Amino acid sequence: MRPLILALSLLASLATAAAAQAPGWMRAAWPETDFSRTAIDLGEVISGGPPRDGIPALSDPAFIPVAAETRLADREPVLSLEIGGEARAYPIRYLMWHEIANDTVAGAPVAVTFCPLCNSAVVFDRRLAGETL
């Protein structure tokens, strides 16, 4: 009876280890992550979008004065930002494709982010510990 219990215990351990084995794409995307503890079968997880860095950010976008703008409709949605009296309007139609605009407003390096899946935006200061990211 004891050998049977040991064999079943070993099989259960192997099944658990196999279920915890992350797919190759997952291990490549997060090489520092410990996938040994999980409540789900990682083999059932599939990638749902572009790979890391698969959506190119806008860097140092060009702007024109509002009076000179002729391409925006009167009610076209934009993400507006004002820092130190300097204002910007980032058209949502561009952020839908790029999702991040790295810009400098009134001397402050910012990352203007937009998520088309949940229609939300957040602006971050790109400075951390004296370094601009």
Side-chain angles (χ1 to χ4, degrees):
M1 183 70 163
R2 186 176 174 118
L4 179 60
I5 292 173
L6 287 174
L8 289 175
S9 178
L10 178 61
L11 281 175
S13 296
L14 290 174
T16 302
Q21 200 55 268
W25 67 267
M26 193 180 288
R27 289 190 313 272
W30 298 286
E32 302 298 317
T33 302
D34 176 7
F35 291 103
S36 66
R37 293 177 55 187
T38 179
I40 62 170
D41 178 359
L42 295 177
E44 294 182 14
V45 177
I46 59 172
S47 177
R52 176 186 272 178
D53 297 328
I55 301 173
L58 293 171
S59 293
D60 298 317
F63 290 88
I64 60 175
V66 172
E69 176 54 60
T70 59
R71 298 167 296 170
L72 291 177
D74 290 342
R75 297 187 47 83
E76 182 165 345
V78 299
L79 190 148
S80 60
L81 172 64
E82 181 189 355
I83 299 175
E86 192 173 324
R88 295 273 201 277
Y90 303 87
I92 296 297
R93 66 174 148 149
Y94 296 117
L95 293 173
M96 289 284 287
W97 291 100
H98 294 279
E99 298 187 12
I100 300 175
N102 293 308
D103 198 7
T104 301
V105 181
V110 295
V112 178
T113 68
F114 177 76
C115 175
L117 299 175
C118 60
N119 196 35
S120 63
V122 179
V123 177
F124 298 93
D125 187 325
R126 293 188 294 135
R127 296 172 289 194
L128 179 66
E131 181 182 349
T132 299
L133 306 174

